Amino acid sequence: MIHQMLFTSLSRHPRGHGSDIDILSAAMTRNRQIGITGFLLRESTGFCQVIEGTEVAVRALFALIESDPRNFCVTQHVQRDVPTRMFPGWSMAYGALSAEDRAFLSRRKVARSGGVVIAFRPRAAGWAPA
């Protein structure tokens, strides 16, 4: 089984700040070394991220992210075991959410117990790692 976690955080810097490249570059290198795959979605004020791997590796990485001073209000939304990875081949995929994307999604979000669940289905959408 693969352990998967979805969480959000607010950024101390606006989208496009140099720290975005630093975060992505470090994630791609570190995640490859520890067997983590995932997806980082950047929007104007923060991040939504899915990480997956062994439960030990996912929990350790989440603790590191929680303590990173470049973000705050780190909130875990989903933690589960799944039979296969959703992001095989991606040490960390990246996408940016535009204002138009955010407006579209805000009209279609699914609220559950005070939070928002965002479903990633890259295989169904025809995505493939570069």
Side-chain angles (χ1 to χ4, degrees):
M1 290 300 267
I2 300 297
H3 196 70
Q4 192 177 72
M5 185 185 293
L6 180 143
F7 57 93
T8 56
S9 65
L10 296 176
S11 177
R12 299 219 182 266
H13 306 287
R15 184 176 61 202
H17 185 268
S19 63
D20 288 357
I21 296 299
D22 296 339
I23 289 168
L24 183 58
S25 177
M28 292 173 78
T29 300
R30 177 191 57 240
N31 292 358
R32 189 173 298 112
Q33 294 169 347
I34 63 173
I36 294 283
T37 56
F39 194 97
L40 177 63
L41 181 63
R42 179 65 154 113
E43 59 100 24
S44 61
T45 61
F47 303 94
C48 179
Q49 188 167 2
V50 175
I51 55 176
E52 55 191 13
T54 67
E55 185 171 354
V56 170
V58 167
R59 287 180 185 274
L61 178 56
F62 182 69
L64 183 66
I65 291 167
E66 278 186 304
S67 67
D68 188 321
R70 295 172 292 194
N71 67 87
F72 62 102
C73 292
V74 180
T75 306
Q76 187 183 120
H77 297 281
V78 177
Q79 186 171 194
R80 65 186 182 170
D81 289 325
V82 295
T84 59
R85 292 178 186 265
M86 291 179 73
F87 304 98
W90 291 100
S91 60
M92 187 51 58
Y94 178 82
L97 196 61
S98 69
E100 294 82 17
D101 294 333
R102 185 174 190 188
F104 173 81
L105 290 173
S106 71
R107 293 188 300 269
R108 287 162 179 79
K109 66 184 176 187
V110 177
R112 295 221 178 121
S113 39
V116 175
V117 176
I118 298 175
F120 287 91
R121 297 274 182 227
R123 290 184 188 150
W127 295 4

